[in-house]
mmCIF file with all atom_site columns, all heavy atoms in Angstrom:
data_model
loop_
_atom_site.group_PDB
_atom_site.id
_atom_site.type_symbol
_atom_site.label_atom_id
_atom_site.label_alt_id
_atom_site.label_comp_id
_atom_site.label_asym_id
_atom_site.label_entity_id
_atom_site.label_seq_id
_atom_site.pdbx_PDB_ins_code
_atom_site.Cartn_x
_atom_site.Cartn_y
_atom_site.Cartn_z
_atom_site.occupancy
_atom_site.B_iso_or_equiv
_atom_site.pdbx_formal_charge
_atom_site.auth_seq_id
_atom_site.auth_comp_id
_atom_site.auth_asym_id
_atom_site.auth_atom_id
_atom_site.pdbx_PDB_model_num
ATOM 1  N N   . ARG A 1 113 ? 105.168 77.517 104.832 1.00 88.00 ? 132 ARG A N   1
ATOM 2  C CA  . ARG A 1 113 ? 103.919 78.285 104.935 1.00 88.00 ? 132 ARG A CA  1
ATOM 3  C C   . ARG A 1 113 ? 102.787 77.402 105.447 1.00 88.00 ? 132 ARG A C   1
ATOM 4  O O   . ARG A 1 113 ? 102.029 77.801 106.336 1.00 88.00 ? 132 ARG A O   1
ATOM 5  C CB  . ARG A 1 113 ? 103.545 78.883 103.578 1.00 88.00 ? 132 ARG A CB  1
ATOM 6  C CG  . ARG A 1 113 ? 102.291 79.773 103.648 1.00 88.00 ? 132 ARG A CG  1
ATOM 7  C CD  . ARG A 1 113 ? 101.715 80.028 102.289 1.00 88.00 ? 132 ARG A CD  1
ATOM 8  N NE  . ARG A 1 113 ? 101.189 78.833 101.665 1.00 88.00 ? 132 ARG A NE  1
ATOM 9  C CZ  . ARG A 1 113 ? 100.020 78.263 101.969 1.00 88.00 ? 132 ARG A CZ  1
ATOM 10 N NH1 . ARG A 1 113 ? 99.262  78.764 102.919 1.00 88.00 ? 132 ARG A NH1 1
ATOM 11 N NH2 . ARG A 1 113 ? 99.614  77.176 101.332 1.00 88.00 ? 132 ARG A NH2 1
ATOM 12 N N   . ILE A 1 114 ? 102.665 76.204 104.892 1.00 88.00 ? 133 ILE A N   1
ATOM 13 C CA  . ILE A 1 114 ? 101.593 75.294 105.319 1.00 88.00 ? 133 ILE A CA  1
ATOM 14 C C   . ILE A 1 114 ? 101.766 74.920 106.789 1.00 88.00 ? 133 ILE A C   1
ATOM 15 O O   . ILE A 1 114 ? 100.783 74.824 107.542 1.00 88.00 ? 133 ILE A O   1
ATOM 16 C CB  . ILE A 1 114 ? 101.580 74.036 104.434 1.00 88.00 ? 133 ILE A CB  1
ATOM 17 C CG1 . ILE A 1 114 ? 101.228 74.404 102.982 1.00 88.00 ? 133 ILE A CG1 1
ATOM 18 C CG2 . ILE A 1 114 ? 100.580 73.008 104.963 1.00 88.00 ? 133 ILE A CG2 1
ATOM 19 C CD1 . ILE A 1 114 ? 101.407 73.278 101.996 1.00 88.00 ? 133 ILE A CD1 1
ATOM 20 N N   . ALA A 1 115 ? 103.010 74.722 107.206 1.00 89.00 ? 134 ALA A N   1
ATOM 21 C CA  . ALA A 1 115 ? 103.284 74.363 108.599 1.00 89.00 ? 134 ALA A CA  1
ATOM 22 C C   . ALA A 1 115 ? 103.125 75.543 109.544 1.00 89.00 ? 134 ALA A C   1
ATOM 23 O O   . ALA A 1 115 ? 103.080 75.354 110.766 1.00 89.00 ? 134 ALA A O   1
ATOM 24 C CB  . ALA A 1 115 ? 104.698 73.795 108.722 1.00 89.00 ? 134 ALA A CB  1
ATOM 25 N N   . GLY A 1 116 ? 103.065 76.772 109.000 1.00 89.00 ? 135 GLY A N   1
ATOM 26 C CA  . GLY A 1 116 ? 102.883 77.957 109.828 1.00 89.00 ? 135 GLY A CA  1
ATOM 27 C C   . GLY A 1 116 ? 104.144 78.425 110.513 1.00 89.00 ? 135 GLY A C   1
ATOM 28 O O   . GLY A 1 116 ? 104.086 79.089 111.559 1.00 89.00 ? 135 GLY A O   1
ATOM 29 N N   . ILE A 1 117 ? 105.319 78.108 109.926 1.00 93.00 ? 136 ILE A N   1
ATOM 30 C CA  . ILE A 1 117 ? 106.583 78.526 110.521 1.00 93.00 ? 136 ILE A CA  1
ATOM 31 C C   . ILE A 1 117 ? 107.279 79.519 109.596 1.00 93.00 ? 136 ILE A C   1
ATOM 32 O O   . ILE A 1 117 ? 106.902 79.688 108.432 1.00 93.00 ? 136 ILE A O   1
ATOM 33 C CB  . ILE A 1 117 ? 107.507 77.323 110.795 1.00 93.00 ? 136 ILE A CB  1
ATOM 34 C CG1 . ILE A 1 117 ? 107.935 76.656 109.472 1.00 93.00 ? 136 ILE A CG1 1
ATOM 35 C CG2 . ILE A 1 117 ? 106.822 76.331 111.711 1.00 93.00 ? 136 ILE A CG2 1
ATOM 36 C CD1 . ILE A 1 117 ? 108.989 75.579 109.656 1.00 93.00 ? 136 ILE A CD1 1
ATOM 37 N N   . LEU A 1 118 ? 108.309 80.172 110.105 1.00 93.00 ? 137 LEU A N   1
ATOM 38 C CA  . LEU A 1 118 ? 109.075 81.116 109.299 1.00 93.00 ? 137 LEU A CA  1
ATOM 39 C C   . LEU A 1 118 ? 109.793 80.378 108.166 1.00 93.00 ? 137 LEU A C   1
ATOM 40 O O   . LEU A 1 118 ? 110.370 79.303 108.385 1.00 93.00 ? 137 LEU A O   1
ATOM 41 C CB  . LEU A 1 118 ? 110.102 81.838 110.162 1.00 93.00 ? 137 LEU A CB  1
ATOM 42 C CG  . LEU A 1 118 ? 109.539 82.819 111.196 1.00 93.00 ? 137 LEU A CG  1
ATOM 43 C CD1 . LEU A 1 118 ? 110.631 83.221 112.180 1.00 93.00 ? 137 LEU A CD1 1
ATOM 44 C CD2 . LEU A 1 118 ? 108.953 84.047 110.510 1.00 93.00 ? 137 LEU A CD2 1
ATOM 45 N N   . PRO A 1 119 ? 109.800 80.935 106.960 1.00 93.00 ? 138 PRO A N   1
ATOM 46 C CA  . PRO A 1 119 ? 110.436 80.270 105.816 1.00 93.00 ? 138 PRO A CA  1
ATOM 47 C C   . PRO A 1 119 ? 111.946 80.488 105.825 1.00 93.00 ? 138 PRO A C   1
ATOM 48 O O   . PRO A 1 119 ? 112.489 81.269 105.050 1.00 93.00 ? 138 PRO A O   1
ATOM 49 C CB  . PRO A 1 119 ? 109.766 80.939 104.615 1.00 93.00 ? 138 PRO A CB  1
ATOM 50 C CG  . PRO A 1 119 ? 109.453 82.316 105.090 1.00 93.00 ? 138 PRO A CG  1
ATOM 51 C CD  . PRO A 1 119 ? 109.117 82.176 106.550 1.00 93.00 ? 138 PRO A CD  1
ATOM 52 N N   . ALA A 1 120 ? 112.623 79.779 106.705 1.00 95.00 ? 139 ALA A N   1
ATOM 53 C CA  . ALA A 1 120 ? 114.078 79.911 106.835 1.00 95.00 ? 139 ALA A CA  1
ATOM 54 C C   . ALA A 1 120 ? 114.655 78.567 107.263 1.00 95.00 ? 139 ALA A C   1
ATOM 55 O O   . ALA A 1 120 ? 114.174 77.944 108.222 1.00 95.00 ? 139 ALA A O   1
ATOM 56 C CB  . ALA A 1 120 ? 114.432 80.993 107.852 1.00 95.00 ? 139 ALA A CB  1
ATOM 57 N N   . PHE A 1 121 ? 115.712 78.122 106.558 1.00 97.00 ? 140 PHE A N   1
ATOM 58 C CA  . PHE A 1 121 ? 116.281 76.798 106.785 1.00 97.00 ? 140 PHE A CA  1
ATOM 59 C C   . PHE A 1 121 ? 117.802 76.862 106.792 1.00 97.00 ? 140 PHE A C   1
ATOM 60 O O   . PHE A 1 121 ? 118.404 77.601 106.001 1.00 97.00 ? 140 PHE A O   1
ATOM 61 C CB  . PHE A 1 121 ? 115.860 75.831 105.680 1.00 97.00 ? 140 PHE A CB  1
ATOM 62 C CG  . PHE A 1 121 ? 114.390 75.593 105.559 1.00 97.00 ? 140 PHE A CG  1
ATOM 63 C CD1 . PHE A 1 121 ? 113.600 76.421 104.772 1.00 97.00 ? 140 PHE A CD1 1
ATOM 64 C CD2 . PHE A 1 121 ? 113.775 74.535 106.218 1.00 97.00 ? 140 PHE A CD2 1
ATOM 65 C CE1 . PHE A 1 121 ? 112.235 76.202 104.637 1.00 97.00 ? 140 PHE A CE1 1
ATOM 66 C CE2 . PHE A 1 121 ? 112.417 74.308 106.100 1.00 97.00 ? 140 PHE A CE2 1
ATOM 67 C CZ  . PHE A 1 121 ? 111.639 75.146 105.312 1.00 97.00 ? 140 PHE A CZ  1
ATOM 68 N N   . LEU A 1 122 ? 118.415 76.073 107.665 1.00 97.00 ? 141 LEU A N   1
ATOM 69 C CA  . LEU A 1 122 ? 119.823 75.757 107.506 1.00 97.00 ? 141 LEU A CA  1
ATOM 70 C C   . LEU A 1 122 ? 119.944 74.709 106.420 1.00 97.00 ? 141 LEU A C   1
ATOM 71 O O   . LEU A 1 122 ? 119.143 73.765 106.370 1.00 97.00 ? 141 LEU A O   1
ATOM 72 C CB  . LEU A 1 122 ? 120.417 75.231 108.813 1.00 97.00 ? 141 LEU A CB  1
ATOM 73 C CG  . LEU A 1 122 ? 120.426 76.163 110.035 1.00 97.00 ? 141 LEU A CG  1
ATOM 74 C CD1 . LEU A 1 122 ? 121.113 75.477 111.211 1.00 97.00 ? 141 LEU A CD1 1
ATOM 75 C CD2 . LEU A 1 122 ? 121.081 77.490 109.719 1.00 97.00 ? 141 LEU A CD2 1
ATOM 76 N N   . VAL A 1 123 ? 120.929 74.832 105.560 1.00 97.00 ? 142 VAL A N   1
ATOM 77 C CA  . VAL A 1 123 ? 121.085 73.943 104.411 1.00 97.00 ? 142 VAL A CA  1
ATOM 78 C C   . VAL A 1 123 ? 122.209 72.947 104.671 1.00 97.00 ? 142 VAL A C   1
ATOM 79 O O   . VAL A 1 123 ? 123.332 73.348 105.023 1.00 97.00 ? 142 VAL A O   1
ATOM 80 C CB  . VAL A 1 123 ? 121.380 74.747 103.130 1.00 97.00 ? 142 VAL A CB  1
ATOM 81 C CG1 . VAL A 1 123 ? 121.549 73.818 101.937 1.00 97.00 ? 142 VAL A CG1 1
ATOM 82 C CG2 . VAL A 1 123 ? 120.260 75.752 102.869 1.00 97.00 ? 142 VAL A CG2 1
ATOM 83 N N   . ASP A 1 124 ? 121.899 71.658 104.503 1.00 95.00 ? 143 ASP A N   1
ATOM 84 C CA  . ASP A 1 124 ? 122.860 70.574 104.740 1.00 95.00 ? 143 ASP A CA  1
ATOM 85 C C   . ASP A 1 124 ? 123.616 70.783 106.046 1.00 95.00 ? 143 ASP A C   1
ATOM 86 O O   . ASP A 1 124 ? 124.856 70.846 106.084 1.00 95.00 ? 143 ASP A O   1
ATOM 87 C CB  . ASP A 1 124 ? 123.839 70.458 103.565 1.00 95.00 ? 143 ASP A CB  1
ATOM 88 C CG  . ASP A 1 124 ? 123.178 69.914 102.309 1.00 95.00 ? 143 ASP A CG  1
ATOM 89 O OD1 . ASP A 1 124 ? 122.261 69.081 102.442 1.00 95.00 ? 143 ASP A OD1 1
ATOM 90 O OD2 . ASP A 1 124 ? 123.573 70.317 101.203 1.00 95.00 ? 143 ASP A OD2 1
#
Side-chain angles (χ1 to χ4, degrees):
R132 184 196 66 77
I133 295 171
I136 65 172
L137 291 167
F140 299 88
L141 298 183
V142 180
D143 289 327

